[in-house]
Amino acid sequence: MCLIIYSPDGHIPRKHLKRGLESNPDGWGYMYAEAGEIVIRKGMTPKEFWAAWKDDRPSGPVVWHARIGTHGTKGIDNCHPFPVKGHGLAVAHNGVINRESVKDSPLSDTRLFIQNVLEKLARNFLRRPELVRLISGYIGSS
């Protein structure tokens, strides 16, 4: 299963990042906020990660994801996190969203879920309990 690490202050111990990259070889990504915008970085190799991480040095909340590909191609296009277009949000997911798994699709289940469900919801969907329940039903306990 993929790995997600959240840090409220941007500090993630190097040993955890190194181990995550070694154990989850199908790409990585992270997101943080800067000047009111979500910054997303992605790559496929540990070398790319360490260069980006050194340049960015997030000092506030950061979400980091290392992927083990289960659905979709193994490439940067399926690395998390993903922006939710038109919503000012981004998503990283750990596990499989079964309702969105399409055999032989080049897109991951998470990318399909964002395109087919989240991007079609009202802009303020996270403030609407009925829509949060709908989303919870899709993603399950992952």
Side-chain angles (χ1 to χ4, degrees):
M1 185 177 292
C2 299
L3 174 65
I4 296 175
I5 299 175
Y6 165 72
S7 171
D9 63 5
H11 174 73
I12 303 172
R14 184 176 179 86
K15 68 180 181 181
H16 296 324
L17 295 168
K18 184 177 184 296
R19 189 172 301 141
L21 291 166
E22 290 168 354
S23 302
N24 299 271
D26 297 327
W28 56 267
Y30 60 89
M31 65 180 158
Y32 63 96
E34 183 174 276
E37 298 292 323
I38 299 171
V39 176
I40 297 175
R41 302 280 189 251
K42 299 180 185 188
M44 294 301 297
T45 68
K47 183 177 179 179
E48 293 170 320
F49 166 73
W50 293 115
W53 192 250
K54 181 181 176 186
D55 285 347
D56 286 334
R57 296 195 186 275
S59 60
V62 63
V63 175
W64 182 84
H65 184 276
R67 181 171 191 250
I68 292 180
T70 56
H71 295 85
T73 57
K74 294 179 183 175
I76 198 166
D77 290 341
N78 281 323
C79 291
H80 303 221
F82 302 104
V84 182
K85 293 176 186 152
H87 291 272
L89 302 171
V91 171
H93 181 262
N94 191 13
V96 175
I97 303 173
N98 287 322
R99 292 182 184 179
E100 294 303 320
S101 298
V102 178
K103 186 178 174 149
D104 299 325
S105 172
L107 304 180
S108 74
D109 53 306
T110 303
R111 277 188 65 200
L112 288 168
F113 176 69
I114 291 167
Q115 291 175 3
N116 295 340
V117 178
L118 296 184
E119 289 178 351
K120 295 181 191 271
L121 295 175
R123 185 161 170 81
N124 66 347
F125 70 85
L126 289 177
R127 295 188 183 131
R128 297 182 54 194
E130 69 278 10
L131 294 179
V132 172
R133 280 192 300 277
L134 171 74
I135 293 165
S136 296
Y138 268 86
I139 62 174
S141 61
S142 307

